[in-house]
Amino acid sequence: TTPAAGPVTTPAAGPATTPAAGPATTPAAGPTTTVSSSTLRQQAEDAAGRVADNQATITDNIDRIQTGEDTTTAIADIQALLNAAATTTSSGRLRKRRQATVATPFPVTVPTTCAAFGDMFEKFLDLATVVSDANIGQIKVYVNALKDVDVASICNDNERTSLASKTNSKSTAAKASTMTYTGNKETENVELKKAVNIDIGIQESVNKKLEARDEATVPLAASTYAIQSTSPAMGGGGGDTQAPQGGTTSVLQPQGGTPSAGPVTTPAAEPLTTPAAGPATTPAAGPVTTPAAGPVTTPAAGPVTTPAAGPVTTPAAGP
C-alpha cells in the first residue's frame, strides 16, 4: 500500500496596497503693483537728463578728437619738413586743418626765429606725449601757432637737420600718444551713444504708458544713433552717425569719437513690477505598504503501512 500524498497548501497572495496620491496645491498669485503716473514721468525725466548730459560729453569729445587728429598731423608735418632739410620741395608751411572749438588756457606767440620755433616745438611735443583732457586745450594753442610757421624760411638746412635729430624720437612718441588718445575718445563716444539710445527707448516706453492714461508725456529732445563699428582713423572722426528714428530731430551731428576719461552715464533699468510668486507646495508622498508574505504550509507526511505477513501453509504429504 502506497500512502496518499499529503495535501499541498499554496498561501494566498497578500493584498497589494497602492498609496493615495498626495494633494496638489496651486500657489496663489502674488499681488500686482501699478506704477503711478508721477513715478513714470519721473523715470522719463531722469532718462531725458542723462541724454542731455551724455550728448554734451559727446560734443566735447568731438572737439577733443579733432584736436588730437590735428596734433598728430602737425607733428608728422613738422617732422617731415625737418627731416627733408634742403631737399624738400615743400613750401615749408604746415597744412591747415579745420578748427576745433577748444578753450585757450594761455596764448603763445608765433615763432619768428628757428631757435624760438625749436623751443616751442619741443614744449609742444612734451605736452602731446602726455596728452589728456587736462592739457588738450593748450596743445591746440601750440598747433595753431606752429601751423603758421614757414619752417623752411626761418631755419636753414643745418638747423633743420639738427632739430630733426634732436626731436625725432619725441615726435614718434607724441604721435603714438595722440593717436591712442583719439582712439579712446572715439570708443567712449560709441558707449555714450549706446547709453543715449537706451534712455530714448525708456522715454518712448514711458510716454506710451502715459498716453494710455491720457497723461502729459515728456518730450524727446534727441533721436537715436545708428551705431556702427569703427576703428580710429586719421581725419575721419569715426563712422557712426545719428539718424532720426521715430520722427524726432537730432540735436547734434556726431562725427564719431570717444573719450577715454569722460564719464559715461548709464541709465538705470526701468523697473518692472512682477507679482510675488506664491509658495510652491510639494505634496507629501503617500505611504507605501508592502503586504506581509502568506504562510507557507508543508503537509505532514502520510503514514507508511507495511502489510502483515500471511500464514504459511505446508500441505500434508500424500499417502
Side-chain angles (χ1 to χ4, degrees), residues 126-150:
D126 289 340
L127 281 179
T129 301
V130 292
V131 59
S132 68
D133 290 351
N135 69 10
I136 191 68
Q138 188 62 54
I139 289 173
K140 182 61 181 180
V141 175
Y142 279 114
V143 171
N144 287 336
L146 292 171
K147 67 179 173 51
D148 290 328
V149 176
D150 187 347

Side-chain angles (χ1 to χ4, degrees), residues 90-268:
S90 166
S91 65
R93 194 177 297 274
L94 305 186
R95 290 175 290 167
K96 293 188 178 182
R97 294 171 58 83
R98 183 172 61 84
Q99 299 294 311
T101 305
V102 205
T104 303
F106 62 84
V108 295
T109 303
V110 176
T112 56
T113 66
C114 193
F117 170 79
D119 181 64
M120 179 178 290
F121 184 49
E122 289 197 72
K123 289 178 180 177
F124 166 61
L125 292 177
D126 289 340
L127 281 179
T129 301
V130 292
V131 59
S132 68
D133 290 351
N135 69 10
I136 191 68
Q138 188 62 54
I139 289 173
K140 182 61 181 180
V141 175
Y142 279 114
V143 171
N144 287 336
L146 292 171
K147 67 179 173 51
D148 290 328
V149 176
D150 187 347
V151 181
S153 68
I154 64 172
C155 296
N156 61 39
D157 293 348
N158 291 336
E159 288 173 326
R160 289 163 59 190
T161 300
S162 175
L163 186 56
S165 176
K166 186 178 180 181
T167 60
N168 274 342
S169 60
K170 281 188 177 183
S171 294
T172 300
K175 284 189 295 184
S177 294
T178 54
M179 290 177 70
T180 298
Y181 174 80
T182 300
N184 288 341
K185 290 300 175 186
E186 288 174 345
T187 300
E188 185 182 346
N189 264 9
V190 170
E191 296 306 312
L192 288 167
K193 290 170 186 178
K194 288 178 182 178
V196 167
N197 288 353
I198 291 172
D199 278 320
I200 289 175
I202 291 175
Q203 281 187 267
E204 291 173 340
S205 174
V206 170
N207 281 344
K208 287 179 181 178
K209 295 175 184 178
L210 292 174
E211 287 174 353
R213 301 180 185 184
D214 292 327
E215 298 278 356
T217 60
V218 178
L220 294 174
S223 64
T224 56
Y225 287 92
I227 305 296
Q228 301 173 2
S229 60
T230 60
S231 15
M234 286 303 300
D240 45 359
T241 57
Q242 184 177 23
Q245 300 176 11
T248 54
T249 302
S250 169
V251 298
L252 67 102
Q253 295 299 324
Q255 302 169 22
T258 29
S260 54
V264 178
T265 304
T266 303

